[in-house]
Amino acid sequence: MRYLGLPSLRRLVGFVAVVTAGCGGADAPAPTAEGGAYLYIWAADADEAESDFLAVINADATDSAYGQVVATLPVGARATMPHHLEYEYPSTDVLFANGWAAGRTFLIDLAQPRHPRLVGEFTEAGGYTFPHAFARLPNDNVLATFQSRGSRYAPPGGLVELDAAGNVVRTASAATPAVPDSLIWPYSVIAVPSLGRAVTTSADMGMPPFSAWQYDETRHVQVWSLDSLALLTTVELPEAPTGVHHIAPAEPRLLADGSVYVNTFSCGLYRLIGLDAADPVAEFVHAFPGGTSSETECAGPVVYGRFWIQTVPALPGLIVLDVSDPGRPVEVTR
C-alpha cells in the first residue's frame, strides 16, 4: 500500500470524515484528467507529532489498486482535531475541511484527485469564529455553521454564507430571545433549496481535553431562509416517551421524499414537519440504544435511498431503518 507524507499507515487514525467522488453516473462530477473514483479521508497523525492530512484512497472497485492510498496532503498544522468536511463532492472542486480544536478550516483543491492542493484557510468570517460544518448551495457557495462570535469560545454563534474561496458573502446570528444563549451552538447544517430553507442543529462541541460529555442540554434546531439568510424560527425537540433522547441535536439529513430528519447524540430521531410554514414542529419517530454517555453517543448517520444508516456505539455497530414512511421508520437490520 503506497503512502505519502507520513511513515506508517497505522498512524492514519483520529477523528475522520469522508467525501466521495468519481466519474460516471448522473450525479457524478465531470471526469478529470486523472479519472477514477476516490474516497477522501480527513485525518490526524496518531501521536500528533506530524501534520494533519487529507488521504486519497482509490475507490474504483474495478481497479487492481482498489482500496490503496494513492496520495496524501499534509496541511502544515498538527493536532487540529480533523472534524467535519463536506459530505459530497464539492461542485467547485474545492473542499472545506475543518480542524476543530484549532478553529481553522482548510480549503483543498481536488481538481486533480491524485494531486490535491491546499489553496487557502480561514479561522473567522464576519466576526464569527470556530467554524464547524458545511453545506453546499445551488449557486456553488457554502453555508457554514460557526459556534462562536469573537475570540472567546462562547455562544451564540451564527450561520455564514461563503464563496468557494472562503470569502464572506453574508452572515446571520443564531441568537434568539426565545432561548438562552447557552443553548445555542450552531453545529451542523443542511440546505433545502426546494423549500427555500436551511436547517441547523445546536450542540456544544466543547474544547479538548474532553473530560466529560460536552453537550450541556442543548435541544433545539433552527430554521433559516435561504433567500435572506434570516433566522425564521427555533424549534425545541420534544422529550421522547422512551427516555431522554432529545438532548444534543446532531445531524440534519434530507430524505429521498424531501422530508428532513434530525438525529441526536442522545440517540433520538426526529422528523421536522412544515419547514415552509410559519411554525414548523419536530416529531419524535425513533430511539436507538445508548446516548447516555460520551461512549454511547449516536453520531454520523448516512441516508442511502430509502434507508437511514445510524452508528450506534452501544451495540457497537450500525442500525438500518427503512424510512419510506418518514412518520413510521422501521428497523430492517442491525
Side-chain angles (χ1 to χ4, degrees):
M1 193 174 275
R2 189 162 71 96
Y3 187 63
L4 309 176
L6 293 177
S8 170
L9 267 176
R10 288 175 295 180
R11 301 176 73 178
L12 198 160
V13 299
F15 201 115
V16 302
V18 299
V19 58
T20 59
C23 299
D27 298 321
T32 68
E34 294 178 332
Y38 300 92
L39 178 71
Y40 301 96
I41 298 182
W42 174 220
D45 183 26
D47 59 12
E48 300 183 343
E50 298 184 65
S51 175
D52 299 340
F53 59 96
L54 186 79
V56 184
I57 295 176
N58 185 331
D60 182 352
T62 66
D63 194 302
S64 61
Y66 175 65
Q68 294 188 14
V69 175
V70 296
T72 61
L73 174 69
V75 295
R78 61 183 182 85
T80 71
M81 187 179 158
H83 197 49
H84 276 231
L85 77 170
E86 296 180 74
Y87 292 131
E88 298 179 0
Y89 191 85
S91 54
T92 63
D93 291 326
V94 176
L95 177 73
F96 284 57
N98 173 248
W100 169 252
R104 295 168 71 175
T105 290
F106 302 92
L107 278 60
I108 301 172
D109 187 339
L110 303 175
Q112 298 183 63
R114 291 172 180 256
H115 298 86
R117 296 184 305 119
L118 183 65
V119 293
E121 65 175 84
F122 60 84
T123 58
E124 67 87 33
Y128 290 96
T129 51
F130 290 96
H132 186 263
F134 315 100
R136 189 70 59 159
L137 296 172
N139 64 1
D140 294 332
N141 286 348
V142 171
L143 282 182
T145 55
F146 285 73
Q147 291 224 299
S148 297
R149 184 174 176 85
S151 59
R152 189 169 63 95
Y153 180 62
L159 190 61
V160 179
E161 183 176 344
L162 306 162
D163 67 17
N167 300 309
V168 176
V169 176
R170 51 185 177 169
T171 68
S173 174
T176 171
V179 180
D181 286 352
S182 61
L183 296 179
I184 299 298
W185 299 84
Y187 182 84
S188 195
V189 56
I190 62 166
V192 190
S194 63
L195 299 178
R197 297 290 185 263
V199 176
T200 60
T201 54
S202 180
D204 175 6
M205 266 294 296
M207 294 297 291
F210 300 109
S211 58
W213 210 24
Q214 298 293 317
Y215 299 114
D216 195 16
E217 285 198 358
T218 58
R219 62 190 71 186
H220 297 85
V221 299
Q222 295 185 300
V223 181
W224 309 71
S225 166
L226 282 182
D227 289 335
S228 64
L229 208 64
L231 175 61
L232 300 177
T233 189
T234 300
V235 180
E236 182 172 353
L237 299 185
E239 294 187 16
T242 55
V244 180
H245 295 294
H246 64 298
I247 299 300
E251 298 291 340
R253 294 286 188 269
L254 188 63
L255 304 187
D257 74 339
S259 300
V260 171
Y261 267 7
V262 172
N263 83 303
T264 67
F265 286 108
S266 53
C267 294
L269 188 60
Y270 289 80
R271 178 172 67 141
L272 300 183
I273 302 171
L275 277 180
D276 54 348
D279 296 302
V281 297
E283 172 190 45
F284 171 78
V285 294
H286 194 80
F288 300 99
T292 57
S293 69
S294 58
E295 291 77 22
T296 62
E297 302 167 8
C298 292
V302 171
V303 175
Y304 185 78
R306 71 176 194 275
F307 299 109
W308 180 277
I309 305 171
Q310 180 66 57
T311 55
V312 184
L315 293 181
L318 302 173
I319 289 179
V320 181
L321 304 180
D322 185 330
V323 296
S324 299
D325 180 351
R328 295 179 177 82
V330 177
E331 182 177 327
V332 293
T333 191
R334 64 170 68 191

